[in-house]
Each structure stands twice: as C-alpha cells, then as structure tokens.
Amino acid sequence: MRVAVFSTKPYDQEFLDAAAKGTSHELHYFDTRLTTDTAPLAKGSDAVCIFVNDQADASALRILAAEGVKLIACRCAGFNQVDLDAAHAHGMTVVRVPAYSPHAVAEHAVGLLLALNRHIPRAYNRVRDGNFQLDGLMGFDLFNKTVGIVGTGKIGALVAKILHGFGCRILAFDSYINPDCTAIGVRYVDLDELLAESDVVSLHCPLTPETNKLINEKTLAKMKPGAMLVNTSRGDVIDTGAVVDALKSGRLGYLALDVYEEEEHYFFEDFSSRVIEDDVLARLLTFPNVLITGHQAFFTAEAIGNIASTVIASFTNFEKGLPLPNKVEKG
Ligand code: NAD
C-alpha cells in the first residue's frame, strides 16, 4: 500500500525502510507535520503514518478522507492527536503501537529523577569548566522515600518496579489495580493521599478529558512541600502555568519534564539560533531545579525498531483484511 509518512526524521526513515524491506508497501516521507494545510500531501495514499504532534483533527481528516486515505497509523502509543469520532465517521481505521518499549520510557523517567535529584547536568557543566565545588549539588537519598505513581499501566508499573529496587515506598493512583504492582507491595490510594505523602510524583496516565490538567493549582497545593514532579506522560496532564507559580513560591521543589503542553511548536526541532516566544517554556528553562528533555523518553533503538515493525505489520494486515490487534476502538 501507499503510505504518506508525516513528521519524518532520518531515524524514522531508516527503521521504517528496514522493516518494510521485502513488502510491497510504498512509503513516501514528509518532514512536515500533518495539519489541515499539509494533509493534501497524502493525495493517492491508502494510509498515513503519524507521530505525537501531528494533528489528525476533524478538518485534516476530512481532507485525508477525500484524498482516499483509509488508515491512520500512529507510530506511538498515545492517540490523542486523532479525532476518533471524525475518523470513524469517515470510515477510517486507526491503529497505534500500544507497547514498543515501556522500558525505554520508564528508564528515562527514572533517569530524569536521578539527574534532577543529584544535579547531574549542573555537575557535568561545572566540572567541564574546571569547578569541582559541591555547593548547590546536594541531593537526597531515594532509599526510604515515598514515590507516588499516577497510572500503573505498562510504564508506571515498570517505574514502580525500578524504584522498589531503590528501596522506595510506592503509592499508586489508578482505578485498575495492577497485580504486578501489588505483588511488590505498591499501595493503591486516592489521589489526595498520594499527593500529600509522596516525595516524588511521577505521571504515567494517558491524556484524557479526566487527566487534562490533573496537576493544577489545587492539586499542586495538596503536594508535599518541596516534592518532585516528573512528567513523561503528556504535556496537557499538567497546567504548566500553575507549575511555574508553584516553583516560584518554592512549594514545588523540583520538576522534570519530557513532555510539554505546547511542545508541538518546539519539540523535535532546532531552536538554538532562534528566539523562544513561548514565555512559559522560556521561564521553565531558567529554573535551576527544572530538567527538561524534548519528548525523548521513547527514543531507544529497541523502541524505534519495535515501532517500525509494528506499523509495517499493521499496513500488511490492513491490506490483506486480516485482524488488526492494535486497532483503536472508539470510546
Ligand atoms: P497504559 O495504557 O499501559 O497505562 C495507562 C494507565 O493509566 C492505565 O493503567 C490506566 O488505568 C491509567 N489511567 C487512566 N486514566 C487515569 C486517571 N485518570 N488517573 C490515574 N490513572 C489513570 O499506558 P502506558 O504504555 O503505561 O503509557 C502511559 C502514557 O505514557 C501514554 O498514554 C503516553 O501518554 C505516555 N507515553 C509517553 C512517551 C514518551 O516518550 N514520553 C512514550 C510512550 C508513552
């Protein structure tokens, strides 16, 4: 089948081409994001392959449907960038890659936690500059600390397991109890108790109407003063303006982000010679107790390889009318 691949980076092309070898799929790569303006690029394609910051909203989908697109393949776990109602109204099928490497994201979340707690980026820059002083680099032991995990699906459960290994006490908030978590002594509590008791809160829930701005002025006020917040889920799970205020007041002690609510304007692009016009992002970058990575938690060779092979298998199954195990059902 003919596929228009949006938001392509060189590594996407390398791994997708390798996975498509031996198939008859024709992949056409575009580095631009999918938006209403760029949707006509998919003319004549049976499918589009999109990533986290593409916009498969109602107007883009209308154009894609008119161009003959029948399959929307997200090469990521989240599918909040797709208007499912509109896709289904056009008779389009939506697939995703539900689990390409939960380890990649879980390990990155813990990496952020450790790097922020032990001031590793600051120490690295200081030592490179010949400054071996320790002032300002004091961290805290993770052993015996309480970590609150919001969302104990594939990724959250792995974070719980890793941090259990550090000797942390783990609390969790999720309406589904994961037996892998209870088996290692994770205690499920309500969100208020998790926020009040946790030294570190790590977010691993999907972005849904319920989780949109789950961390806001009110919930931040319920957190333990000086606690750390880690978000590798989706940017909109946090009200970033409220988080900036909490950092300024000292109520929030540390913030580690791999995702940001306005990230589609910046992430995956080089802004090093340009002015960042987003004042919230620019402000975040000034705090000594904030660590940001640009949505790279998923980015390991294992994960990119799994994503590519899963997406190509979905194209093949769709073309042959075979069952699609990774189909996204409406509602
Ligand atoms: P998953 O579906 O296995 O687990 C999500 C869990 O969140 C489920 O247990 C679900 O019950 C729970 N949940 C849903 N609504 C909730 C709520 N209101 N409060 C608390 N828990 C809630 O998903 P996963 O594979 O573990 O991924 C989690 C999220 O991580 C994804 O949805 C995605 O947004 C994000 N993610 C980020 C990256 C990255 O590179 N930063 C990569 C992959 C996934």
Short mmCIF file of all heavy atoms in Angstrom, two decimals, residues 273-323:
data_model
loop_
_atom_site.label_atom_id
_atom_site.label_comp_id
_atom_site.label_asym_id
_atom_site.label_seq_id
_atom_site.Cartn_x
_atom_site.Cartn_y
_atom_site.Cartn_z
N SER A 273 19.18 28.74 17.51
CA SER A 273 19.55 30.06 16.97
C SER A 273 18.33 30.95 16.85
O SER A 273 18.37 31.97 16.15
CB SER A 273 20.19 29.90 15.59
OG SER A 273 21.27 29.03 15.66
N ARG A 274 17.25 30.54 17.47
CA ARG A 274 16.02 31.34 17.35
C ARG A 274 15.53 31.76 18.73
O ARG A 274 15.97 31.23 19.75
CB ARG A 274 14.94 30.52 16.64
CG ARG A 274 15.23 30.35 15.17
CD ARG A 274 14.06 29.76 14.45
NE ARG A 274 14.18 28.32 14.33
CZ ARG A 274 13.21 27.52 13.88
NH1 ARG A 274 12.05 28.03 13.55
NH2 ARG A 274 13.40 26.22 13.78
N VAL A 275 14.60 32.70 18.73
CA VAL A 275 14.03 33.18 19.99
C VAL A 275 12.85 32.28 20.34
O VAL A 275 12.00 32.00 19.49
CB VAL A 275 13.57 34.64 19.82
CG1 VAL A 275 12.73 35.10 21.01
CG2 VAL A 275 14.77 35.56 19.62
N ILE A 276 12.82 31.83 21.59
CA ILE A 276 11.66 31.06 22.05
C ILE A 276 10.59 32.05 22.49
O ILE A 276 10.78 32.79 23.46
CB ILE A 276 12.06 30.09 23.18
CG1 ILE A 276 12.98 29.02 22.59
CG2 ILE A 276 10.83 29.48 23.85
CD1 ILE A 276 13.45 27.97 23.53
N GLU A 277 9.50 32.07 21.75
CA GLU A 277 8.46 33.07 22.03
C GLU A 277 7.52 32.63 23.14
O GLU A 277 6.77 33.44 23.68
CB GLU A 277 7.66 33.35 20.76
CG GLU A 277 8.46 34.14 19.74
CD GLU A 277 7.69 34.41 18.47
OE1 GLU A 277 6.45 34.39 18.51
OE2 GLU A 277 8.35 34.61 17.44
N ASP A 278 7.54 31.35 23.45
CA ASP A 278 6.65 30.82 24.48
C ASP A 278 7.24 31.19 25.86
O ASP A 278 8.25 30.63 26.29
CB ASP A 278 6.57 29.29 24.31
CG ASP A 278 5.67 28.63 25.33
OD1 ASP A 278 5.61 29.11 26.47
OD2 ASP A 278 5.04 27.63 24.99
N ASP A 279 6.61 32.16 26.54
CA ASP A 279 7.17 32.66 27.79
C ASP A 279 7.16 31.63 28.91
O ASP A 279 8.00 31.68 29.81
CB ASP A 279 6.40 33.92 28.23
CG ASP A 279 6.70 35.10 27.32
OD1 ASP A 279 7.70 35.02 26.58
OD2 ASP A 279 5.93 36.08 27.34
N VAL A 280 6.21 30.71 28.87
CA VAL A 280 6.15 29.68 29.93
C VAL A 280 7.33 28.73 29.77
O VAL A 280 8.06 28.44 30.72
CB VAL A 280 4.80 28.92 29.89
CG1 VAL A 280 4.78 27.82 30.93
CG2 VAL A 280 3.65 29.90 30.12
N LEU A 281 7.57 28.29 28.53
CA LEU A 281 8.70 27.39 28.28
C LEU A 281 10.02 28.12 28.59
O LEU A 281 10.91 27.56 29.25
CB LEU A 281 8.68 26.92 26.81
CG LEU A 281 9.82 26.01 26.38
CD1 LEU A 281 9.89 24.74 27.21
CD2 LEU A 281 9.69 25.64 24.90
N ALA A 282 10.11 29.37 28.13
CA ALA A 282 11.34 30.14 28.37
C ALA A 282 11.58 30.29 29.88
O ALA A 282 12.71 30.16 30.36
CB ALA A 282 11.24 31.51 27.70
N ARG A 283 10.51 30.54 30.65
CA ARG A 283 10.65 30.68 32.10
C ARG A 283 11.11 29.37 32.73
O ARG A 283 11.98 29.35 33.59
CB ARG A 283 9.31 31.13 32.71
CG ARG A 283 9.35 31.38 34.23
CD ARG A 283 10.24 32.58 34.54
NE ARG A 283 10.25 32.94 35.94
CZ ARG A 283 11.20 32.57 36.81
NH1 ARG A 283 12.22 31.82 36.41
NH2 ARG A 283 11.16 32.97 38.06
N LEU A 284 10.50 28.27 32.26
CA LEU A 284 10.87 26.95 32.81
C LEU A 284 12.36 26.69 32.64
O LEU A 284 13.00 26.09 33.50
CB LEU A 284 10.08 25.84 32.10
CG LEU A 284 8.66 25.58 32.57
CD1 LEU A 284 8.02 24.50 31.70
CD2 LEU A 284 8.63 25.17 34.04
N LEU A 285 12.89 27.14 31.49
CA LEU A 285 14.30 26.86 31.20
C LEU A 285 15.25 27.64 32.11
O LEU A 285 16.45 27.39 32.12
CB LEU A 285 14.59 27.16 29.72
CG LEU A 285 13.86 26.25 28.72
CD1 LEU A 285 14.06 26.74 27.28
CD2 LEU A 285 14.32 24.81 28.84
N THR A 286 14.72 28.60 32.87
CA THR A 286 15.59 29.41 33.73
C THR A 286 15.75 28.82 35.13
O THR A 286 16.64 29.24 35.87
CB THR A 286 15.04 30.85 33.91
OG1 THR A 286 13.82 30.79 34.67
CG2 THR A 286 14.80 31.53 32.58
N PHE A 287 14.89 27.90 35.53
CA PHE A 287 14.94 27.39 36.91
C PHE A 287 16.11 26.41 37.08
O PHE A 287 16.29 25.51 36.25
CB PHE A 287 13.65 26.64 37.26
CG PHE A 287 12.44 27.50 37.42
CD1 PHE A 287 11.50 27.61 36.40
CD2 PHE A 287 12.20 28.19 38.60
CE1 PHE A 287 10.36 28.38 36.54
CE2 PHE A 287 11.05 28.97 38.75
CZ PHE A 287 10.13 29.07 37.72
N PRO A 288 16.84 26.53 38.20
CA PRO A 288 17.92 25.55 38.43
C PRO A 288 17.38 24.18 38.82
O PRO A 288 18.09 23.18 38.74
CB PRO A 288 18.70 26.16 39.59
CG PRO A 288 17.73 27.05 40.29
CD PRO A 288 16.76 27.55 39.26
N ASN A 289 16.13 24.13 39.28
CA ASN A 289 15.54 22.87 39.76
C ASN A 289 14.53 22.29 38.76
O ASN A 289 13.60 21.59 39.15
CB ASN A 289 14.87 23.06 41.13
CG ASN A 289 13.95 24.27 41.15
OD1 ASN A 289 13.92 25.06 40.20
ND2 ASN A 289 13.19 24.42 42.22
N VAL A 290 14.74 22.64 37.48
CA VAL A 290 13.88 22.08 36.42
C VAL A 290 14.77 21.39 35.39
O VAL A 290 15.79 21.94 34.99
CB VAL A 290 13.04 23.20 35.75
CG1 VAL A 290 12.31 22.65 34.52
CG2 VAL A 290 12.04 23.78 36.74
N LEU A 291 14.37 20.21 34.99
CA LEU A 291 15.11 19.47 33.96
C LEU A 291 14.12 19.08 32.87
O LEU A 291 13.09 18.46 33.16
CB LEU A 291 15.75 18.22 34.59
CG LEU A 291 16.54 17.31 33.66
CD1 LEU A 291 17.68 18.06 32.97
CD2 LEU A 291 17.12 16.14 34.46
N ILE A 292 14.43 19.47 31.64
CA ILE A 292 13.51 19.19 30.52
C ILE A 292 14.25 18.42 29.43
O ILE A 292 15.37 18.79 29.04
CB ILE A 292 12.95 20.49 29.91
CG1 ILE A 292 12.22 21.31 31.00
CG2 ILE A 292 11.98 20.19 28.76
CD1 ILE A 292 11.66 22.63 30.51
N THR A 293 13.61 17.37 28.94
CA THR A 293 14.08 16.72 27.72
C THR A 293 12.94 16.84 26.70
O THR A 293 11.77 16.98 27.09
CB THR A 293 14.46 15.24 27.95
OG1 THR A 293 13.39 14.57 28.62
CG2 THR A 293 15.72 15.12 28.78
N GLY A 294 13.29 16.81 25.43
CA GLY A 294 12.31 17.10 24.37
C GLY A 294 11.59 15.88 23.84
O GLY A 294 11.76 15.52 22.68
N HIS A 295 10.79 15.25 24.68
CA HIS A 295 10.00 14.07 24.31
C HIS A 295 10.90 12.97 23.73
O HIS A 295 10.69 12.49 22.62
CB HIS A 295 8.89 14.43 23.30
CG HIS A 295 7.70 13.51 23.40
ND1 HIS A 295 6.40 13.96 23.34
CD2 HIS A 295 7.62 12.17 23.57
CE1 HIS A 295 5.58 12.92 23.46
NE2 HIS A 295 6.29 11.83 23.61
N GLN A 296 11.89 12.60 24.51
CA GLN A 296 12.85 11.58 24.05
C GLN A 296 12.76 10.29 24.87
O GLN A 296 13.56 9.37 24.64
CB GLN A 296 14.28 12.14 24.10
CG GLN A 296 14.86 12.27 25.51
CD GLN A 296 16.34 12.59 25.50
OE1 GLN A 296 16.70 13.75 25.37
NE2 GLN A 296 17.19 11.60 25.67
N ALA A 297 11.77 10.22 25.79
CA ALA A 297 11.73 9.05 26.67
C ALA A 297 11.61 7.75 25.88
O ALA A 297 12.16 6.72 26.25
CB ALA A 297 10.58 9.17 27.66
N PHE A 298 10.88 7.81 24.75
CA PHE A 298 10.65 6.59 23.95
C PHE A 298 11.88 6.23 23.11
O PHE A 298 11.91 5.16 22.51
CB PHE A 298 9.47 6.84 22.98
CG PHE A 298 9.84 7.77 21.85
CD1 PHE A 298 10.19 7.27 20.61
CD2 PHE A 298 9.91 9.13 22.06
CE1 PHE A 298 10.57 8.13 19.57
CE2 PHE A 298 10.29 10.00 21.04
CZ PHE A 298 10.62 9.49 19.80
N PHE A 299 12.86 7.13 23.03
CA PHE A 299 13.84 7.09 21.95
C PHE A 299 15.02 6.16 22.23
O PHE A 299 16.12 6.60 22.57
CB PHE A 299 14.31 8.53 21.70
CG PHE A 299 14.98 8.73 20.36
CD1 PHE A 299 14.37 8.33 19.20
CD2 PHE A 299 16.21 9.34 20.28
CE1 PHE A 299 14.98 8.52 17.98
CE2 PHE A 299 16.83 9.55 19.06
CZ PHE A 299 16.21 9.13 17.91
N THR A 300 14.77 4.87 22.09
CA THR A 300 15.87 3.90 22.15
C THR A 300 15.82 3.08 20.85
O THR A 300 14.77 3.01 20.19
CB THR A 300 15.74 2.93 23.35
OG1 THR A 300 14.57 2.13 23.18
CG2 THR A 300 15.68 3.65 24.67
N ALA A 301 16.93 2.46 20.52
CA ALA A 301 16.99 1.66 19.28
C ALA A 301 15.95 0.54 19.32
O ALA A 301 15.29 0.26 18.31
CB ALA A 301 18.39 1.08 19.12
N GLU A 302 15.78 -0.04 20.51
CA GLU A 302 14.81 -1.14 20.63
C GLU A 302 13.40 -0.63 20.34
O GLU A 302 12.62 -1.26 19.62
CB GLU A 302 14.86 -1.73 22.06
CG GLU A 302 16.13 -2.51 22.37
CD GLU A 302 17.31 -1.61 22.74
OE1 GLU A 302 17.17 -0.37 22.76
OE2 GLU A 302 18.40 -2.17 23.00
N ALA A 303 13.08 0.53 20.93
CA ALA A 303 11.72 1.07 20.77
C ALA A 303 11.45 1.46 19.32
O ALA A 303 10.39 1.13 18.77
CB ALA A 303 11.53 2.28 21.69
N ILE A 304 12.40 2.14 18.68
CA ILE A 304 12.18 2.59 17.30
C ILE A 304 12.05 1.38 16.37
O ILE A 304 11.23 1.37 15.45
CB ILE A 304 13.31 3.54 16.84
CG1 ILE A 304 13.39 4.76 17.76
CG2 ILE A 304 13.11 4.00 15.40
CD1 ILE A 304 12.16 5.62 17.79
N GLY A 305 12.84 0.35 16.62
CA GLY A 305 12.73 -0.88 15.83
C GLY A 305 11.37 -1.54 16.01
O GLY A 305 10.74 -1.97 15.04
N ASN A 306 10.90 -1.61 17.26
CA ASN A 306 9.58 -2.22 17.53
C ASN A 306 8.46 -1.41 16.90
O ASN A 306 7.50 -1.97 16.37
CB ASN A 306 9.33 -2.33 19.04
CG ASN A 306 10.18 -3.41 19.67
OD1 ASN A 306 10.64 -4.32 18.98
ND2 ASN A 306 10.40 -3.31 20.97
N ILE A 307 8.59 -0.08 16.98
CA ILE A 307 7.56 0.79 16.39
C ILE A 307 7.47 0.51 14.89
O ILE A 307 6.39 0.29 14.34
CB ILE A 307 7.88 2.29 16.64
CG1 ILE A 307 7.65 2.65 18.10
CG2 ILE A 307 7.05 3.19 15.73
CD1 ILE A 307 8.12 4.04 18.49
N ALA A 308 8.64 0.51 14.24
CA ALA A 308 8.65 0.33 12.79
C ALA A 308 8.05 -1.01 12.40
O ALA A 308 7.20 -1.09 11.51
CB ALA A 308 10.09 0.46 12.27
N SER A 309 8.44 -2.10 13.07
CA SER A 309 7.93 -3.41 12.66
C SER A 309 6.44 -3.53 12.95
O SER A 309 5.70 -4.13 12.17
CB SER A 309 8.74 -4.56 13.28
OG SER A 309 8.75 -4.40 14.67
N THR A 310 5.97 -2.91 14.03
CA THR A 310 4.53 -2.99 14.36
C THR A 310 3.71 -2.22 13.33
O THR A 310 2.65 -2.68 12.88
CB THR A 310 4.29 -2.43 15.78
OG1 THR A 310 5.15 -3.10 16.68
CG2 THR A 310 2.84 -2.61 16.22
N VAL A 311 4.20 -1.03 12.96
CA VAL A 311 3.47 -0.20 11.98
C VAL A 311 3.40 -0.92 10.63
O VAL A 311 2.34 -0.98 10.00
CB VAL A 311 4.15 1.19 11.87
CG1 VAL A 311 3.70 1.92 10.64
CG2 VAL A 311 3.84 2.03 13.09
N ILE A 312 4.52 -1.48 10.20
CA ILE A 312 4.54 -2.17 8.90
C ILE A 312 3.61 -3.39 8.94
O ILE A 312 2.87 -3.66 7.99
CB ILE A 312 5.99 -2.57 8.50
CG1 ILE A 312 6.87 -1.32 8.35
CG2 ILE A 312 6.00 -3.43 7.22
CD1 ILE A 312 6.51 -0.36 7.24
N ALA A 313 3.60 -4.10 10.07
CA ALA A 313 2.69 -5.27 10.19
C ALA A 313 1.24 -4.80 10.10
O ALA A 313 0.39 -5.49 9.51
CB ALA A 313 2.95 -6.00 11.51
N SER A 314 0.93 -3.63 10.66
CA SER A 314 -0.45 -3.11 10.58
C SER A 314 -0.82 -2.81 9.12
O SER A 314 -1.94 -3.10 8.69
CB SER A 314 -0.61 -1.82 11.40
OG SER A 314 -0.52 -2.11 12.77
N PHE A 315 0.13 -2.24 8.35
CA PHE A 315 -0.15 -1.97 6.92
C PHE A 315 -0.47 -3.28 6.21
O PHE A 315 -1.43 -3.37 5.45
CB PHE A 315 1.05 -1.30 6.23
CG PHE A 315 1.42 0.05 6.78
CD1 PHE A 315 2.73 0.52 6.69
CD2 PHE A 315 0.47 0.87 7.38
CE1 PHE A 315 3.08 1.76 7.18
CE2 PHE A 315 0.82 2.11 7.88
CZ PHE A 315 2.13 2.55 7.79
N THR A 316 0.36 -4.29 6.47
CA THR A 316 0.20 -5.58 5.78
C THR A 316 -1.15 -6.20 6.16
O THR A 316 -1.90 -6.65 5.28
CB THR A 316 1.37 -6.52 6.16
OG1 THR A 316 2.57 -5.84 5.82
CG2 THR A 316 1.29 -7.84 5.44
N ASN A 317 -1.47 -6.23 7.46
CA ASN A 317 -2.73 -6.84 7.89
C ASN A 317 -3.93 -6.08 7.32
O ASN A 317 -4.91 -6.69 6.90
CB ASN A 317 -2.83 -6.85 9.43
CG ASN A 317 -1.90 -7.88 10.02
OD1 ASN A 317 -1.16 -8.55 9.29
ND2 ASN A 317 -1.92 -8.02 11.33
N PHE A 318 -3.83 -4.75 7.31
CA PHE A 318 -4.94 -3.94 6.80
C PHE A 318 -5.17 -4.26 5.32
O PHE A 318 -6.29 -4.47 4.87
CB PHE A 318 -4.62 -2.45 7.00
CG PHE A 318 -5.75 -1.55 6.59
CD1 PHE A 318 -6.86 -1.36 7.42
CD2 PHE A 318 -5.73 -0.87 5.37
CE1 PHE A 318 -7.91 -0.53 7.05
CE2 PHE A 318 -6.76 -0.04 5.00
CZ PHE A 318 -7.86 0.13 5.84
N GLU A 319 -4.05 -4.32 4.59
CA GLU A 319 -4.14 -4.56 3.15
C GLU A 319 -4.75 -5.93 2.86
O GLU A 319 -5.54 -6.10 1.93
CB GLU A 319 -2.72 -4.48 2.56
CG GLU A 319 -2.70 -4.34 1.07
CD GLU A 319 -1.27 -4.09 0.58
OE1 GLU A 319 -0.34 -4.81 1.01
OE2 GLU A 319 -1.10 -3.18 -0.22
N LYS A 320 -4.39 -6.91 3.71
CA LYS A 320 -4.88 -8.28 3.47
C LYS A 320 -6.22 -8.55 4.14
O LYS A 320 -6.70 -9.69 4.10
CB LYS A 320 -3.85 -9.29 4.00
CG LYS A 320 -2.54 -9.27 3.23
CD LYS A 320 -1.61 -10.35 3.73
CE LYS A 320 -0.37 -10.43 2.85
NZ LYS A 320 0.69 -11.22 3.44
N GLY A 321 -6.77 -7.53 4.82
CA GLY A 321 -8.04 -7.72 5.51
C GLY A 321 -7.93 -8.64 6.72
O GLY A 321 -8.91 -9.25 7.16
N LEU A 322 -6.72 -8.72 7.29
CA LEU A 322 -6.51 -9.57 8.48
C LEU A 322 -6.84 -8.77 9.75
O LEU A 322 -6.88 -7.54 9.71
CB LEU A 322 -5.05 -10.04 8.52
CG LEU A 322 -4.61 -10.94 7.37
CD1 LEU A 322 -3.10 -11.17 7.38
CD2 LEU A 322 -5.36 -12.28 7.46
N PRO A 323 -7.05 -9.44 10.88
CA PRO A 323 -7.35 -8.72 12.12
C PRO A 323 -6.23 -7.74 12.48
O PRO A 323 -5.05 -8.00 12.20
CB PRO A 323 -7.46 -9.83 13.17
CG PRO A 323 -7.67 -11.09 12.41
CD PRO A 323 -7.03 -10.90 11.07
#
